[in-house]
Amino acid sequence: MRKVSMLVTNNCDPDPRVLRMGIWLVEEGYDVTIYAYDRMKESEKTSLVQGVKILRFQHGNSPYGGTIKTITGKKRFLKFAITEIKKSPPEIVFCHDGDTLQAGVYLKRKLNICLILDMHDLHFSWPRMNNPRSFSRRLVSKYQQKQFEKHLTKPDLIFTSSGSLRNGRFPGFKQWIKQRGIDSVVIENRPQQPRKIPKQINNKETVISYVGKIRDKEAMTFLISSVIKLRDLSKIKLLIAGDGVLSEKVERDLIQQRKEFGIDFEFHGRFDVEQKYQLIARSDVMFAMYNPKRGNISEGALPTKMFDAASVGIPSIVNSNCLMGEIIEKEEWGFSVEWGNFEELRDAILSAKKYPEINFKRKPIKDQFLEAMNSLG
């Protein structure tokens, strides 16, 4: 039985992409342990999910958001993971996102094992999320990018979460890596099949959901300010769910906006996988827009919530002039809107209830993943 050690700098509770890959490998006979960073001590220290073992590092409180405490906390976690992995070396170390790659490169060299990178996102864009214009955050981001590119030739196999469409106009992460002379295999965050959850139809109001990590301040501002402008044209309710660095602030802001403008909203914190899909099914449209100045949007980031909503039959609103907008138009999963364009967002929201039935197409993602894994020998 081949042993796989996975590294991820969140608590993996849940991280659907990491768990899904781990479960696929267990089903193929691999022994999989995920070393996760539970920076806010929110989860069980150890758990077992469909045969996948999860061991969580819990030391201090290290917030999300690209602060000095975030960086030092990650270093402590990776040192812990390296120590644990060296006690019982695996055949494969599997790094989820670039912020674990340096540790993976060290383990590959020290233990003479195979190294895999799964690039979910451009991790070096994260420090810029709260304030894309900040000079100091741009410096941190640039330094992290240089460190990442220095190690990018070391993995034996690289997975990415996006790639350009055939004859498409916009790049994905596969193209970002290809520009550096390296090939990769695209594994989208697309559910394996549609979710058969009855929609909760509400003819009295349009329900706009945002279900996921709450960490993009300007995206939340764009959404809430647009709903305030629309309150005299249509009855709208916001359904916001998720944790993240801005979750408490967004909830406070919504309470204040309800007092001042009477907007209707419902706020939920953390959720599990089944709760996520139940929440999505209660909405008419998913808001999945992001500030493009972060950098990863124009490079090909695809919101997981876009795939999740489509699998339930709910349309999404995403950024135009990038890969996510091109996919939403091709698949007919919703609306692509120019960032900051209130008129386009207004039209999408007002059209959401009349959107045609969504045809969610299955892709052989699991087969593609396992084929790539088996190519390692």
Side-chain angles (χ1 to χ4, degrees):
M1 182 181 290
R2 300 188 79 186
K3 189 173 179 180
V4 179
S5 295
M6 292 186 166
L7 298 173
V8 63
T9 58
N10 62 44
N11 62 355
C12 200
D13 186 21
D15 186 320
R17 182 179 180 88
V18 176
L19 280 172
R20 181 171 61 170
M21 289 181 171
I23 291 166
W24 288 343
L25 291 174
V26 166
E27 290 172 350
E28 291 296 303
Y30 289 78
D31 178 7
V32 179
T33 300
I34 298 172
Y35 295 86
Y37 182 20
D38 187 7
R39 61 187 73 190
M40 303 304 289
K41 301 178 184 177
E42 297 172 315
S43 306
E44 295 179 352
K45 196 162 187 178
T46 61
S47 56
L48 186 68
V49 180
Q50 296 183 47
V52 178
K53 298 180 285 293
I54 306 174
L55 180 60
R56 297 184 177 91
F57 175 71
Q58 298 173 324
H59 181 78
N61 285 330
S62 175
Y64 291 90
T67 65
I68 296 298
K69 284 188 71 175
T70 306
I71 295 169
T72 56
K74 282 184 182 181
K75 286 183 177 179
R76 286 198 303 269
F77 159 65
L78 292 172
K79 185 177 180 180
F80 156 81
I82 287 170
T83 300
E84 291 297 313
I85 290 169
K86 286 168 71 175
K87 291 177 183 177
S88 179
E91 284 76 30
I92 299 171
V93 60
F94 198 128
C95 295
H96 286 279
D97 260 327
D99 55 350
T100 66
L101 182 57
Q102 189 171 354
V105 169
Y106 169 82
L107 287 165
K108 175 182 179 177
R109 184 179 70 249
K110 197 75 173 176
L111 303 176
N112 192 28
I113 58 177
C114 182
L115 171 61
I116 297 173
L117 168 66
D118 181 24
M119 197 174 89
H120 306 194
D121 200 350
L122 299 181
H123 75 284
F124 49 81
S125 71
W126 300 342
R128 298 174 57 191
M129 190 177 303
N130 289 344
N131 188 359
R133 300 178 183 87
S134 166
F135 178 72
S136 60
R137 287 178 175 269
R138 289 203 306 271
L139 283 180
V140 171
S141 176
K142 201 68 179 173
Y143 172 76
Q144 290 182 352
Q145 180 176 347
K146 286 182 179 179
Q147 290 295 106
F148 178 56
E149 291 180 348
K150 183 172 75 174
H151 297 298
L152 199 51
T153 58
K154 303 297 192 301
D156 300 285
L157 173 63
I158 298 178
F159 294 106
T160 60
S161 59
S162 70
S164 63
L165 299 177
R166 183 176 296 180
N167 301 319
R169 294 182 296 150
F170 300 105
F173 293 153
K174 180 181 178 70
Q175 285 66 47
W176 188 91
I177 292 178
K178 191 69 175 176
Q179 287 174 355
R180 287 143 183 88
I182 301 166
D183 203 4
S184 60
V185 177
V186 176
I187 303 295
E188 289 181 337
N189 287 319
R190 180 185 296 248
Q192 288 292 279
Q193 60 272 322
R195 291 265 175 168
K196 295 182 179 178
I197 301 176
K199 296 181 187 177
Q200 299 185 24
I201 300 173
N202 185 339
N203 293 322
K204 295 181 180 179
E205 59 189 1
T206 298
V207 179
I208 308 170
S209 63
Y210 179 97
V211 181
K213 288 287 183 184
I214 303 172
R215 52 193 182 190
D216 190 320
K217 177 182 176 181
E218 295 191 25
M220 288 291 102
T221 300
F222 183 33
L223 172 60
I224 294 169
S225 63
S226 297
V227 169
I228 290 170
K229 291 179 183 178
L230 282 169
R231 68 189 187 280
D232 294 330
L233 292 177
S234 178
K235 186 168 176 54
I236 294 172
K237 179 178 180 177
L238 285 174
L239 176 58
I240 310 293
D243 55 4
V245 66
L246 290 178
S247 59
E248 292 182 2
K249 182 183 185 309
V250 167
E251 185 177 15
R252 289 195 304 269
D253 289 348
L254 286 168
I255 292 170
Q256 183 62 34
Q257 302 298 351
R258 179 165 58 192
K259 290 178 181 177
E260 290 187 26
F261 301 104
I263 68 169
D264 189 11
F265 78 92
E266 189 176 324
F267 190 92
H268 299 263
R270 294 180 65 205
F271 48 78
D272 61 27
V273 173
E274 289 306 316
Q275 289 170 334
K276 172 178 69 174
Y277 288 107
Q278 293 292 340
L279 287 164
I280 293 171
R282 293 176 51 200
S283 63
D284 294 297
V285 65
M286 172 73 78
F287 180 82
M289 295 191 71
Y290 303 90
N291 184 349
K293 292 180 181 178
R294 271 178 57 195
N296 63 338
I297 304 304
S298 60
E299 297 287 0
L302 298 179
T304 301
K305 57 180 66 65
M306 173 185 80
F307 291 108
D308 290 338
S311 74
V312 182
I314 301 297
S316 292
I317 301 172
V318 304
N319 296 60
S320 62
N321 300 312
C322 59
L323 182 60
M324 67 174 79
E326 192 171 30
I327 287 177
I328 212 108
E329 292 171 5
K330 180 185 176 185
E331 299 273 6
E332 297 182 336
W333 285 352
F335 312 89
S336 65
V337 168
E338 181 184 20
W339 174 256
N341 190 320
F342 165 71
E343 287 75 19
E344 288 189 12
L345 180 58
R346 174 200 63 200
D347 292 346
I349 291 170
L350 296 179
S351 302
K353 278 190 173 294
K354 301 174 185 176
Y355 198 80
E357 184 176 351
I358 286 175
N359 178 23
F360 185 79
K361 303 180 186 72
R362 184 184 183 279
K363 285 189 176 181
I365 293 171
K366 178 180 177 181
D367 295 340
Q368 294 166 356
F369 173 75
L370 294 174
E371 182 182 348
M373 290 294 300
N374 291 333
S375 71
L376 294 172

